[in-house]
């Protein structure tokens, strides 16, 4: 058989641990089920992806300053030219593949600040190129949400329509795409791809309270009050950490993206206690080890929550979007959500103490839900093989037939 040429696409290797964890899960599937596949990436951080995962990678954008604000005429012209060049670069890259996979990530949402001509445009170029060049593009276990900006919504809607395969990480994501006019009749919902990653062993000794922080300024529709939201989030989280320290608790700060380092530094400076330390996680595996060693987790970023829930640690979500609420509800902890836009340290502490009182019970609940997640992700990968690798699926069927 001729090796299948598989491309992976997205903001990978760019400092977001959740995105890279989703890639790692898909690469694990490909290496286990389709070892003959030849894999490469079109991504945000090609050097990181090649060094970490051992696959060739190409930079997503021709213009190097794509994600910097353009204020000078030269930068604006460079960005404009880059959009044109990227159309040809993306098509040329897609043409070299039989299949392109977009592994997880919130590629169909704008729950964090996002411009239409950034990643939404890049995703549209990918899906349009796939349709024109007859390369199957698969949006696998992706997140979606209602989008207010008309241009962003149009690009996201057409990207989804042009994809050959779609699956979602929660029911609200599928509902959001249906509301945008996408036919989701054949689209399935599975747990987030990160639930397919290996689970580290849990230590037997008591651990810290793990607090996952985020450089949070609200979403796309909150730009006018972004600084107010950030200040309230940081103040509330800092007061919560300070109260834990006053109670004699050890606190471990974790992040999920390189940009969160400023929040860690601000909390360390404000609390100034040896009981508060910061982790330096380079992957979701590192994050899971931190979460597994904790007694309890309070976290903001979606994949911080996924890591904590996967290792079975009782978790309280500082929720900024419906995806966090849906995840917590599906894992049986829907009661333990607190709004990230309006962090109230006193109320958060009350919820935290209620969570700890049910720790033993909730750990059992998480064990049961993780077994369900593992089974459902096996179904996801089986479904993906049928949709994208029909020759391999047929060969597997023949081997199983007596």
């Amino acid at each position: 058989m001729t090796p299948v040429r598989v491309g992976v696409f997205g903001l990978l290797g760019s400092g977001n641990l959740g995105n890279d964890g989703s890639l790692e899960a898909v690469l694990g599937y490909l290496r286990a089920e389709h070892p003959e596949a030849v894999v490469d990436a079109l991504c945000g951080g090609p050097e990181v992806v090649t060094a970490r995962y051992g696959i060739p990678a190409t930079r997503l954008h021709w213009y190097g300053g794509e994600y910097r604000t353009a204020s000078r005429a030269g930068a604006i012209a460079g960005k404009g030219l880059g959009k044109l060049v990227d159309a040809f670069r993306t098509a040329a890259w897609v043409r070299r593949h039989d299949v392109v996979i977009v592994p997880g990530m919130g590629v169909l949402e704008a729950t964090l600040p996002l411009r239409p001509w950034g990643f939404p445009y890049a995703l549209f170029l990918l899906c349009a190129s796939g349709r024109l060049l007859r390369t199957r593009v698969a949006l696998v276990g992706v997140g979606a949400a209602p989008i207010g900006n008309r241009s962003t919504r149009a690009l996201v809607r057409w990207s989804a329509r042009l994809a050959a395969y779609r699956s979602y990480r929660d029911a609200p994501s599928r509902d959001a795409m249906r509301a945008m006019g996408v036919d989701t009749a054949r689209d399935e919902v599975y747990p987030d791809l990160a639930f397919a990653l290996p689970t580290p062993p849990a230590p037997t000794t008591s651990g810290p309270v793990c607090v996952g922080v985020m450089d949070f300024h609200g979403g796309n529709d909150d730009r006018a009050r972004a600084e107010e939201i950030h200040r309230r989030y940081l103040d509330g989280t800092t007061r919560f950490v300070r109260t834990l320290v006053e109670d004699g608790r050890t606190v471990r700060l974790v992040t999920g993206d390189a940009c969160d380092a400023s929040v860690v530094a601000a909390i360390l400076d404000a609390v100034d206690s040896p009981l508060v330390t910061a982790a330096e996680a380079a992957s979701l595996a590192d994050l899971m080890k931190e979460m597994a060693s904790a007694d309890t987790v309070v976290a903001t970023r979606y994949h911080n929550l996924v890591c904590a829930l996967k290792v079975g640690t009782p978790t309280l979500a500082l929720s900024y979007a419906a995806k966090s609420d849906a995840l917590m509800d599906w894992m049986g902890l829907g009661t333990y959500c607190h709004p990230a836009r309006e962090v109230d340290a006193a109320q958060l502490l009350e919820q935290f103490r209620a969570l700890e009182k049910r720790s033993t019970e909730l750990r059992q609940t998480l064990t049961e839900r993780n077994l369900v997640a593992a089974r459902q992700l096996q179904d996801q990968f089986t479904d993906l093989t049928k949709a994208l690798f029909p020759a391999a699926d047929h060969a597997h069927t023949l081997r199983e037939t007596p």
Side-chain angles (χ1 to χ4, degrees):
M1 294 176 60
T2 303
V4 180
R5 299 164 299 174
V6 180
V8 289
F9 176 95
L11 292 178
L12 310 165
S14 301
N16 185 287
L17 302 186
N19 292 0
D20 291 355
S22 299
L23 169 62
E24 187 177 342
V26 165
L27 291 178
Y29 151 72
L30 290 171
R31 287 163 178 165
E33 300 297 327
H34 305 283
E36 78 289 349
V38 177
V39 184
D40 74 307
L42 184 62
C43 60
E47 298 85 1
V48 173
V49 168
T50 297
R52 185 173 295 168
Y53 303 109
I55 61 174
T58 303
R59 185 168 298 282
L60 181 59
H61 299 291
W62 173 79
Y63 180 63
E66 174 62 34
Y67 292 105
R68 293 194 296 269
T69 301
S71 55
R72 296 184 178 181
I76 294 171
K79 276 196 173 186
L81 178 60
K83 300 305 175 189
L84 179 62
V85 174
D86 284 345
F88 292 96
R89 290 177 70 251
T90 301
W93 182 80
V94 168
R95 184 190 293 274
R96 299 198 298 268
H97 298 84
D98 302 299
V99 172
V100 174
I101 296 175
V102 180
M105 306 178 285
V107 296
L108 303 178
E109 64 181 55
T111 53
L112 297 175
L114 183 71
R115 298 295 188 188
W117 305 114
F119 187 78
Y121 174 71
L123 183 66
F124 171 75
L125 290 180
L126 172 78
C127 296
S129 298
R131 179 63 65 92
L132 288 170
L133 300 171
R134 298 185 179 181
T135 296
R136 287 162 288 177
V137 174
L139 309 180
V140 182
V142 297
I147 297 173
N149 182 278
R150 183 178 298 179
S151 298
T152 303
R153 185 170 63 248
L155 288 167
V156 163
R157 179 173 61 247
W158 276 106
S159 296
R161 285 176 173 173
L162 292 169
Y165 175 91
R166 296 179 298 270
S167 65
Y168 306 98
R169 62 189 180 190
D170 53 46
S173 293
R174 182 170 61 183
D175 293 343
M177 295 315 298
R178 184 184 299 121
M180 286 188 211
V182 176
D183 181 2
T184 62
R186 294 184 298 172
D187 299 353
E188 297 291 343
V189 173
Y190 299 102
D192 188 86
L193 290 171
F195 281 102
L197 295 173
T199 304
T204 55
T205 57
S206 179
V209 177
C210 207
V211 179
V213 300
M214 178 179 179
D215 185 25
F216 180 61
H217 293 76
N220 238 23
D221 298 331
D222 299 317
R223 290 180 183 272
R225 60 190 195 101
E227 287 309 311
E228 174 195 341
I229 290 172
H230 179 68
R231 184 171 58 254
R232 184 163 186 173
Y233 169 80
L234 181 57
D235 288 350
T237 306
T238 300
R239 285 197 298 271
F240 173 70
V241 170
R242 183 180 290 116
T243 303
L244 292 178
V245 169
E246 290 170 353
D247 289 344
R249 302 294 295 269
T250 302
V251 177
R252 185 77 161 159
L253 301 177
V254 299
T255 63
D257 195 294
C259 67
D260 301 331
S262 62
V263 178
V264 171
I267 294 175
L268 289 173
D269 184 60
V271 178
D272 191 21
S273 168
L275 293 177
V276 184
T277 58
E280 295 185 4
S283 66
L284 283 196
D286 292 343
L287 269 182
M288 286 187 205
K289 290 176 184 176
E290 295 287 345
M291 306 296 196
S293 67
D295 286 345
T296 313
V297 172
V298 179
T300 310
R301 280 198 180 273
Y302 180 81
H303 278 99
N304 275 195
L305 296 174
V306 170
C307 287
L309 297 168
K310 177 171 170 55
V311 300
T313 303
T315 303
L316 199 162
L318 286 173
S319 175
Y320 66 87
K323 60 184 178 183
S324 300
D325 297 336
L327 172 65
M328 294 292 286
D329 189 57
W330 191 80
M331 292 298 287
L333 279 76
T335 304
Y336 302 103
C337 292
H338 188 92
R341 285 172 176 79
E342 300 176 357
V343 178
D344 182 315
Q347 185 182 355
L348 181 60
L349 188 64
E350 185 179 326
Q351 288 179 283
F352 172 79
R353 287 169 176 161
L355 175 73
E356 290 209 310
K357 287 180 181 178
R358 295 183 59 201
S359 179
T360 302
E361 172 193 347
L362 293 176
R363 285 181 180 273
Q364 180 58 37
T365 298
L366 290 174
T367 297
E368 294 167 0
R369 295 309 299 168
N370 274 302
L371 290 174
V372 174
R375 289 196 297 268
Q376 291 185 352
L377 279 171
Q378 279 301 116
D379 294 339
Q380 161 71 99
F381 292 136
T382 299
D383 186 35
L384 197 58
T385 292
K386 290 178 180 178
L388 301 184
F389 306 95
D393 181 58
H394 179 65
H396 178 73
T397 302
L398 289 177
R399 286 196 302 270
E400 290 191 339
T401 304

